[in-house]
Amino acid sequence: MRDERDVDSTTTVYATFETTQAMFRHVEKRLTSLELSVAAMETERAVSEEKRKFMDARFTHIDRRLEKIDGHISRLVWLIIAAILGGFMSVMMQGGLLSV
């Protein structure tokens, strides 16, 4: 690099052709690298979006199954309570508590 004191205010300093080509090659390599990085990020984003959609669908399916299981458990609890009350009523009707 030249010192600014060496350059006259009326002279213009140009880079050589080889230096300019080297700079363009360097810039082109960096641009290509950035393009590849952006493409990789877009691919990764698209894959993660598809995975998220799949997981959302799967969790929705699991939620529906859990609601069905919850409904069945609720019915079983009511059946058990009804059986206990029915047995108690049967014992009462036969006079089982009075004979004790």
Side-chain angles (χ1 to χ4, degrees), residues 47-79:
V47 168
S48 66
E49 181 69 23
E50 289 300 316
K51 284 182 182 179
R52 188 191 61 80
K53 286 179 185 177
F54 174 74
M55 291 301 289
D56 285 346
R58 189 168 180 189
F59 280 126
T60 301
H61 179 69
I62 289 172
D63 285 341
R64 277 189 268 134
R65 288 179 62 195
L66 287 175
E67 287 173 4
K68 286 181 182 179
I69 291 171
D70 187 37
H72 292 306
I73 289 174
S74 177
R75 286 182 185 167
L76 284 174
V77 167
W78 280 109
L79 283 174

